[in-house]
Amino acid sequence: MCLFGKQSKCQMNNKLQLPSKIFITDYNNDINEFLDAAYVIFKRDFITSKPNYNGQLVGMKKYPLELNGKEHTFYHITHEGEDECNRKPSIPRIERIAYPRFFIDNHDVDDFLVWKNIRHSEERILIYQPSERYLVVLSIRKGFVLLWTAYYVNYNHTHKKLIQEYKKFKGGV
């Protein structure tokens, strides 16, 4: 198990060890308590301290404020659904709340697949850990990068699509 205040590389048997997940059962199965606990980690990782990606500051989307004044990025990486105004809490996303910062800080480790793509005319950086099926998406801006989203990949077809996109980016397929 790897726990830390400032995210750093934790290795066991020369393999990168991911941060610990949090579980709703540790919060009386109360989604609001669970989200509050997740927000403490998010705040530590993205508000109190700021990550950087290859020397560029990683920002987040603050507005519109959601969930009683919490930043929009927190809402987006802990909830799921196509309708932005009616997203539902996602237990797998909340459980992995410590992953986005860790992925950003350790993107250069072989455990991660990292590539760029274009979505809606924006250049994005994708950081994917296939065995954990977790993806972090950063949007490239002028002078900084924006944490766009992060999520657990539920579906096999999405997982396969990401692997194919990475291979194509690297010159394979």
Side-chain angles (χ1 to χ4, degrees):
M1 197 171 290
C2 182
L3 298 171
F4 23 68
K6 184 177 181 198
Q7 301 284 330
S8 61
K9 293 177 182 169
C10 288
Q11 294 186 333
M12 180 177 278
N13 301 327
N14 293 326
K15 181 124 174 91
L16 194 65
Q17 188 175 358
L18 296 170
S20 298
K21 295 176 194 171
I22 63 173
F23 299 99
I24 194 167
T25 54
D26 293 331
Y27 301 94
N28 304 311
N29 290 315
D30 182 310
I31 193 66
N32 293 317
E33 285 184 34
F34 192 40
L35 281 165
D36 287 345
Y39 186 70
V40 169
I41 295 167
F42 177 82
K43 187 174 177 183
R44 173 198 75 196
D45 290 351
F46 291 98
I47 298 170
T48 303
S49 69
K50 303 275 187 199
N52 74 65
Y53 178 87
N54 287 342
Q56 289 192 317
L57 186 65
V58 176
M60 67 177 153
K61 188 175 177 185
K62 185 172 182 174
Y63 298 104
L65 294 175
E66 309 281 353
L67 305 171
N68 299 317
K70 293 176 179 72
E71 294 75 13
H72 184 76
T73 294
F74 175 74
Y75 168 73
H76 200 270
I77 68 174
T78 58
H79 289 64
E80 63 187 349
E82 293 300 316
D83 180 359
E84 197 65 36
C85 296
N86 293 301
R87 293 167 66 91
K88 303 290 183 219
S90 166
I91 301 301
R93 287 178 179 221
I94 300 166
E95 287 177 338
R96 293 163 176 82
I97 193 65
Y99 284 18
R101 172 71 184 256
F102 186 81
F103 278 43
I104 293 164
D105 286 347
N106 295 288
H107 70 275
D108 57 345
V109 174
D110 289 342
D111 291 17
F112 298 108
L113 305 181
V114 180
W115 72 100
K116 291 182 180 178
N117 71 16
I118 304 291
R119 292 281 193 274
H120 308 292
S121 75
E122 289 188 8
E123 189 173 18
R124 305 268 171 88
I125 300 163
L126 292 86
I127 307 169
Y128 188 54
Q129 212 291 328
S131 62
E132 185 59 30
R133 296 175 70 127
Y134 193 81
L135 177 70
V136 173
V137 180
L138 305 173
S139 183
I140 299 173
R141 299 291 201 255
K142 199 167 263 203
F144 71 101
V145 294
L146 187 68
L147 174 56
W148 191 254
T149 194
Y151 58 92
Y152 175 74
V153 175
N154 291 315
Y155 302 108
N156 285 332
H157 72 275
T158 305
H159 169 75
K160 289 175 184 174
K161 181 179 165 189
L162 289 167
I163 299 298
Q164 285 301 106
E165 185 176 301
Y166 171 76
K167 287 178 179 177
K168 185 175 179 183
F169 176 82
K170 287 299 203 180
V173 187

